[in-house]
Amino acid sequence: FVTGQSNEILHLGALIQGRLQAAGLEVEWRTVNFKEQMSRAWMQECDLYLAREIMHDDQDFGCFEWFSADTLYRRWMPAPVWQQIDQQLRSIQAEPDSANR
């Protein structure tokens, strides 16, 4: 279990660790600083990562950016899944009607 080191993330991490341990799971929790997070060297040994994302005020742009960016969650997805997401994003991006988008 890997998290960043902000106060909010540490608080949530402690709650998650407690719940997992209460369910009988052994939890090894490691915190990483921002530079380590961005290196992503820890990802191969990690089963669970807790992060936060900041969405843009423009909902359409924010969702597009979140799903299309090289976010950490995409690193765990099988290639066919994120390729399907990318294809759907291209279709959504081409939709001129914001209500349909």
Side-chain angles (χ1 to χ4, degrees):
F1 175 38
V2 174
T3 70
Q5 297 176 336
S6 70
N7 289 335
E8 300 87 8
I9 293 294
L10 293 174
H11 176 73
L12 286 173
L15 294 173
I16 290 170
Q17 181 183 36
R19 291 274 178 113
L20 293 172
Q21 288 175 333
L25 298 170
E26 185 179 323
V27 179
E28 180 184 327
W29 180 14
R30 178 178 166 205
T31 65
V32 293
N33 63 35
F34 185 74
K35 185 177 179 179
E36 288 176 290
Q37 286 179 56
M38 294 302 101
S39 78
R40 299 176 178 168
W42 49 267
M43 287 185 70
Q44 296 303 315
E45 300 173 12
C46 177
D47 295 314
L48 178 64
Y49 177 66
L50 176 63
R52 60 183 178 175
E53 295 287 338
I54 300 171
M55 295 291 283
H56 194 278
D57 290 343
D58 179 324
Q59 237 179 359
D60 290 342
F61 178 75
C63 286
F64 181 83
E65 180 183 49
W66 189 68
F67 284 110
S68 65
D70 184 23
T71 52
L72 292 169
Y73 80 92
R74 282 178 72 115
R75 297 292 179 116
W76 277 295
M77 284 183 176
V81 174
W82 56 258
Q83 289 167 352
Q84 180 182 11
I85 290 171
D86 288 345
Q87 189 226 347
Q88 291 172 331
L89 286 170
R90 285 189 294 275
S91 296
I92 291 167
Q93 188 180 29
E95 174 59 54
D97 182 12
S98 64
N100 289 331
R101 209 172 27 247

